[in-house]
Each structure stands twice: as C-alpha cells, then as structure tokens.
Amino acid sequence: MLNTLIVGASGYAGVELATFLNRHPHMNITALAVSAQSPDAGKRLSELHPQLKGTVDLPLEPLSDVAVYAGKVDVVFLATAHEVSHDLAPQFLAAGCVVFDLSGAFRVNDQAFYSRCYGFNHQHAEWLEKAVYGLAEWQHDAIKEAQLIAVPGCYPTAAQLALKPLIEAGLLHEAQWPVINATSGVSGAGRKATMNNSFCEVSLQPYGMFTHRHRPEIEAHLGVPVVFTPHLGSFPRGILATITCRLQPGVSREDITEAFHNAYQDKPLVRVYEQGVPALKAVVGLPFCDIGFALEDEHLIVVAAEDNLLKGAASQAVQCLNIRFGFPETQSLI
Ligand SMILES: NC(=O)C1=CN([C@@H]2O[C@H](COP(=O)(O)OP(=O)(O)OC[C@H]3O[C@@H](n4cnc5c(N)ncnc54)[C@H](OP(=O)(O)O)[C@@H]3O)[C@@H](O)[C@H]2O)C=CC1
Ligand SMILES: CC(=O)N[C@@H](CCC(=O)OP(=O)(O)O)C(=O)O
C-alpha cells in the first residue's frame, strides 16, 4: 500500500482524485488538505461534495507545515494553483515523496516562460529540469523513472493527443500551423467563484486569443508552432477541440488512420473513431480522450474530446501514478 496525500482536495480536480484513489487497491488516502486559511478546513470532503457521502468522509486538514505529512506519505497529489504547487512540490520532493502536480508549475523547462505566462519568477530550476511531463500515452518510460510528474493542462492534453501522431509520422505541411479551436466547460476555471464564471455571465465566447499560457505549453512539447483559441462554453465539464491542419501532398486517409493506429492501438484511454467524430457526451465523467477526423484533399480536421477534470487533469494524474508504480494503466479508472 502507498500512503497518499491530496492537497487541494476540496477543488474540482481534487475531489476527482479522491474518488479514484479511494477505490484504488494499492493506495491509502492518508489525508486530504486545503490551505491553512481555508474556510473549509475541518469539514468533511463529503460535506462539500455529497457524491462522496459514506465513501470518502475524511476531514479536510489545513496545511500549514509540510513536515507534518512528509514522513507519513509516499505519494503527494497537488491539485493546487500554480504558485502553490511551485512552493509545495520541492518541499515534498525533498522529503522523498513522489509528487504528481496537476498545476502548470513544472510543465515547461524554461524559467522565462513562468515570468512571461504565469506572472511569477520560477525559483526551482533544478526541479524544472527533472520534472517529467505526464502526457501519459507518450511518456511511459520517463514517467516510470520520475519523482516529479507535471500533469499536462486540460487543453494541451486534447490538442497534443490529436496532433502528435500526425507530427511524428511527418504528415503535416510545415507551411500551415495547426489551428486549434477548443471549448471548455466552466469547471476548467476551478471551483472558486468569479464574475466571469457566474451562471448569468457565462455564454459561449473565445478568450485568451494568441495569449493563453497553454499555447506555449503545447508548442514546447509538440515542437511546432500552433494557433490556439480557447472558448468558454455554458456547460459544466468537458473539452471539445476542433483542429484544422494542412497535410503534405499525397497524404491519404489510410496514412492518417495508420498514424493514429500506430500511436494508440495499445493505449486503452485514447479511443480513435473509425468513422465520424466524438461529442462531449461520449467522454464526460470518463477517463478517455476520443479522437475522430474528416479529410478533404490536403485539408484535415481532427476532433478530440475529453473531460477536462479527468483525462485533462485527475484521471491522467492517476494514469501516471499507475505507470510510475507498475500498476495496470487503467487501474481504478475504468
Ligand atoms: N479545473 C480543470 O479543468 C483543470 C485544472 N488543472 C489544474 O489543477 C489545479 C487545481 O485546479 P481546480 O481543482 O480546478 O482548482 P480549484 O480552485 O477547484 O481547487 C483548488 C484547491 O486548492 C486548495 N488550495 C488553495 N490554496 C491552497 C494552499 N495554499 N495550500 C493548500 N491548498 C490550497 C483549495 O482550497 P482552499 O482555497 O479552501 O484552501 C482547493 O481545494 C490547478 O493548478 C489547475 O490549473 C489542470 C487541468 C484541468
Ligand atoms: C475554462 C478555463 O478557464 N480553463 C482554464 C484552463 C484549466 C487548465 O487546464 O489548466 P491549467 O493549465 O491551469 O492547469 C483556463 O483557461 O485558464
């Protein structure tokens, strides 16, 4: 049994982690934590998220000193804001814990990226260097060896799972950058109330055009420039990414099918459609990323759908845990 701590357990990603880890045969949830000042400290997780009543009734503990947990836990999940993960991860790592960080704090090995895109100066170059990017289907061997796994962002997961097989197979035309239009449910912004995310304000609208921090994350790991436009939709959860690409001359439907087949034939959590394209209803509440495509001459449209809180966050983190410790990759996920 591995003892585990979930920090940020009351948040949207944290509660999904608690759900998966509670039913994992090799994991023992030692504690659930929130911030030292949290108004929820002392409450049971199931008071805030009643779907867990009778299943995970542990209290939310205020985290003021990492040392309280350091000797008692083997694995830590950080479902916390980027700056919080940036400060906490090195402390748990120094105590010998394996850390799965769901934030963006260790995803891109470039300190300047953090001052430019996240608004803080990164202080832990050594951990940026050592962190393994947890795009589970593509990083299996590196994850097995890692102490710090930086779980990818929700949009970058969908975009990269769709594009990487095509790029690896050399099918995309260099003259046209892939154009990624993706719509997310409101849970992508977390549980904390803000005006933009309030019921009467949410509509269907693009945001962060050319400036969203996920664009450089995608580019850093795909190795090609992209255009990325996120949209906020008026639904609770799920991401649908519609990605338009230009193909190299002569690339056929069979070439694309083969590229996806080679990439994902033995990857149970990415489902490639033989016909048609996915809708959100196929993946919400499930740990899959579903991919389909349509083709006309040299124009390709790839559609990827996932649950932002699951394959885009918590289930991918648990998938990485399963890989890291040699458990079946889908353990407790399906
Ligand atoms: N939502 C999504 O779709 C995705 C989110 N992510 C990332 O995962 C992380 C969590 O996201 P999400 O669940 O949406 O966020 P939420 O805002 O829903 O939850 C944040 C959690 O962190 C806790 N917290 C805040 N400050 C601290 C602190 N100093 N110490 C300990 N706990 C703290 C909060 O509780 P309290 O404030 O009461 O202390 C809460 O439990 C973020 O980095 C996010 O960017 C990644 C992919 C997708
Ligand atoms: C709808 C919405 O607001 N989504 C969030 C992305 C959530 C996510 O994946 O985020 P991290 O990289 O922050 O972990 C956003 O655009 O900032």
Side-chain angles (χ1 to χ4, degrees), residues 7-15 33-41 60 63 78-82 84-85 88 101-105 107 151-155 184-192 213-214 239 307-310 312-314:
V7 186
S10 67
Y12 284 149
V15 70
V34 289
S35 63
Q37 307 74 25
S38 175
D40 295 322
L60 295 161
L63 177 65
L78 297 176
T80 42
H82 319 293
V84 176
S85 289
L88 290 179
D101 178 26
L102 279 69
S103 87
R107 289 180 193 151
V151 183
C154 49
Y155 291 117
S184 172
V186 185
S187 60
R191 186 162 176 264
K192 210 168 160 197
R213 66 191 184 284
H214 286 175
I239 283 182
D307 188 320
N308 54 297
L309 295 175
L310 299 185

Side-chain angles (χ1 to χ4, degrees), residues 75-242:
V75 172
V76 177
F77 287 85
L78 297 176
T80 42
H82 319 293
E83 296 87 336
V84 176
S85 289
H86 167 270
D87 294 346
L88 290 179
Q91 299 180 55
F92 285 111
L93 290 160
C97 302
V98 175
V99 174
F100 297 84
D101 178 26
L102 279 69
S103 87
F106 295 92
R107 289 180 193 151
V108 175
N109 184 8
D110 173 8
Q111 279 178 290
F113 164 74
Y114 287 93
S115 31
R116 194 171 69 246
C117 301
Y118 281 78
F120 66 87
N121 293 324
H122 209 291
Q123 308 291 326
H124 304 293
E126 73 287 10
W127 283 113
L128 276 182
E129 181 71 35
K130 286 184 192 158
V132 166
Y133 190 62
L135 190 66
E137 278 71 20
W138 292 89
Q139 292 281 85
H140 189 275
D141 293 350
I143 290 168
K144 280 191 86 64
E145 306 295 324
Q147 193 187 350
L148 170 59
I149 291 94
V151 183
C154 49
Y155 291 117
T157 296
Q160 292 176 87
L161 290 175
L163 285 169
K164 215 165 159 56
L166 306 169
I167 292 168
E168 297 281 314
L171 302 183
L172 297 191
H173 201 300
E174 297 85 8
Q176 186 183 308
W177 298 1
V179 177
I180 304 159
N181 285 306
T183 303
S184 172
V186 185
S187 60
R191 186 162 176 264
K192 210 168 160 197
T194 66
M195 182 58 80
N196 282 349
N197 299 340
S198 76
F199 188 80
C200 290
E201 294 296 322
V202 173
S203 171
L204 173 58
Q205 193 175 24
Y207 64 102
M209 284 175 287
F210 294 115
T211 61
H212 197 282
R213 66 191 184 284
H214 286 175
R215 180 187 185 191
E217 180 184 329
I218 294 166
E219 292 178 336
H221 292 284
L222 274 184
V224 301
V226 298
V227 177
F228 168 59
T229 310
H231 300 65
L232 186 66
S234 56
F235 51 91
R237 56 200 281 175
I239 283 182
L240 189 85
T242 303

Side-chain angles (χ1 to χ4, degrees), residues 44-58:
R44 294 179 188 280
L45 180 62
S46 54
E47 277 177 60
L48 302 180
H49 298 282
Q51 71 271 27
L52 291 178
K53 270 191 193 306
T55 312
V56 186
D57 292 315
L58 289 170

